[in-house]
Amino acid sequence: MKKILTISATALAAVIALSGCSTSADAGSMEGMDHGSSAMSTAQSPAIGADHNAADTMFAQMMLPHHSQAVEMSDIMLAKPGLDTKIIALAKEIKAAQAPEINTMTNYLSAWGEPTTMTGDHAMTGMMTSADLDKLKAAQGNEAARMFLVQMTAHHEGALEMAKTEVTSGKNADAITLAKSIVSSQEAEINDMKKLLSAL
């Protein structure tokens, strides 16, 4: 189910432009599915330690476009009419959690004096291709819901790999805390999505 996409620095720069998406105004909470994943980014902004290593930098630089695509996928679903309210709530939850985390990680990189884009090409597990996104845009109703759940599950699984690597290899305490939050919230969302998929 997983997909691996090699992202160039240029493509990364383009997708990171999505980080300006506003989420707090339309964010919804799905009953039984509010996992608090945005607590790290929506609470007060802690002082970001400048002490970091290459793993911290890679984590933030790779997670930025990964989160941006999750926000894009959620926006695609929120633009569709007639979807099950649970799917709408899930899309809002994902967007509400990940868009603020984009700002958090951008702030980390700025504080560390690191660029927001990676140099060279790097493979990121779970990223959807342009064709995948086109299929999601074209799908409607339950077909769209199934596709979104399958794609987002794979997407989350890729994020878990990167976050777990940060937990074991990172140095910056703030980045490690965020990575642990991502692991906790996205593992819970994966379980929720599997339940929703089995009910369709």
Side-chain angles (χ1 to χ4, degrees), residues 5 69 128-137:
L5 181 64
Q69 188 176 76
M128 297 298 111
T129 65
S130 295
D132 292 327
L133 295 181
D134 287 342
K135 289 178 182 178
L136 185 61
K137 291 175 184 176

Side-chain angles (χ1 to χ4, degrees), residues 53-63 109 112 118 122 162:
N53 62 13
D56 297 317
T57 300
M58 183 67 71
F59 164 69
Q61 288 177 337
M62 293 181 73
M63 198 65 82
L109 291 167
W112 300 337
M118 295 177 289
H122 299 271
M162 291 187 285

Side-chain angles (χ1 to χ4, degrees), residues 71-106:
V71 171
E72 180 183 6
M73 292 165 68
S74 297
D75 281 336
I76 289 172
M77 294 303 290
L78 293 174
K80 293 182 184 296
L83 289 179
D84 186 288
T85 56
K86 291 182 179 180
I87 300 298
I88 295 172
L90 174 65
K92 287 183 176 180
E93 179 183 327
I94 290 171
K95 183 178 176 181
Q98 297 201 26
E101 287 174 355
I102 290 170
N103 293 330
T104 297
M105 290 182 286
T106 300

Side-chain angles (χ1 to χ4, degrees), residues 118-154:
M118 295 177 289
T119 56
D121 293 334
H122 299 271
M124 287 184 289
T125 304
M127 289 289 283
M128 297 298 111
T129 65
S130 295
D132 292 327
L133 295 181
D134 287 342
K135 289 178 182 178
L136 185 61
K137 291 175 184 176
Q140 298 296 328
N142 282 348
E143 179 189 2
R146 289 190 192 93
M147 192 175 298
F148 175 69
L149 293 170
V150 169
Q151 289 183 352
M152 192 62 78
T153 296

